Amino acid sequence: MKKLILSAVLATVSVSSFAASNGPAGCGLGTAVVFQDANEWYEHVMAATTNGSASQTVAMTSGTWGCEDANGPLAGGIAMFLNDNLEPLAIDMAKGNGETLGALADLMGVKGADKAVFNEQMQSHFDTVFADAQANPTTAYDGIMSVMSGSKELSKYLG
């Protein structure tokens, strides 16, 4: 039972770490609808609890309930993608192709004509994206952005 509770808490914390800055409860149904005018500590706790009951994940994925723009380095679905797929992405980047690398390109909006360049750039700059064994989603994202910003063909996908 303790393991189940700990797992639920850790899952909620990891999801809320990518939430937009909408006060202490983050974005989601609890903040945007149920407790819009929260100003007491217990209201923030209840809003965070409501957000953490999967509504925040739905809101972040769909860009609703205050999660339209996370204003963070891992905005959008890229954050969750990197969090869930970092190891297979590293393997695909080292090879220069693969399903996970292709999915990342799609998620970032890379057009078919530029996917070969994307794959080649990610492979040739693998050490930039995965600089050390302690690579995490944030450092990988920073590396990917660095590689893309240095490429004439890929920099147009950065916004």
Side-chain angles (χ1 to χ4, degrees):
M1 184 62 154
K2 288 180 183 179
K3 288 181 182 180
L4 180 63
I5 292 170
L6 180 60
S7 297
V9 168
L10 291 176
T12 302
V13 169
S14 67
V15 168
S16 61
S17 67
F18 291 118
S21 178
N22 290 311
C27 63
L29 181 65
T31 304
V33 179
V34 182
F35 298 98
Q36 283 181 327
D37 300 319
N39 53 13
E40 297 293 328
W41 69 269
Y42 60 87
E43 292 174 320
H44 292 293
V45 169
M46 292 168 60
T49 303
T50 303
N51 291 345
S53 65
S55 75
Q56 195 169 55
T57 305
V58 171
M60 290 169 58
T61 303
S62 63
T64 57
W65 294 330
C67 297
E68 288 83 4
D69 182 11
N71 292 325
L74 298 178
I78 297 171
M80 294 182 102
F81 179 84
L82 290 175
N83 195 43
D84 293 341
N85 298 290
L86 200 59
E87 188 174 326
L89 179 63
I91 293 168
D92 284 0
M93 274 191 191
K95 293 187 306 187
N97 63 33
E99 186 176 307
T100 311
L101 186 59
L104 176 64
D106 290 340
L107 190 59
M108 299 190 81
V110 176
K111 304 275 188 235
D114 294 325
K115 285 188 179 178
V117 173
F118 179 82
N119 290 350
E120 184 274 323
Q121 288 292 308
M122 292 301 133
Q123 182 181 26
S124 64
H125 293 93
F126 177 86
D127 291 338
T128 300
V129 178
F130 295 98
D132 57 35
Q134 283 73 39
N136 60 53
T138 303
T139 60
Y141 179 86
D142 291 342
I144 292 166
M145 293 299 105
S146 174
V147 170
M148 290 180 73
S149 67
S151 168
K152 183 182 90 171
E153 295 89 353
L154 301 177
S155 62
K156 63 186 172 191
Y157 297 107
L158 299 179

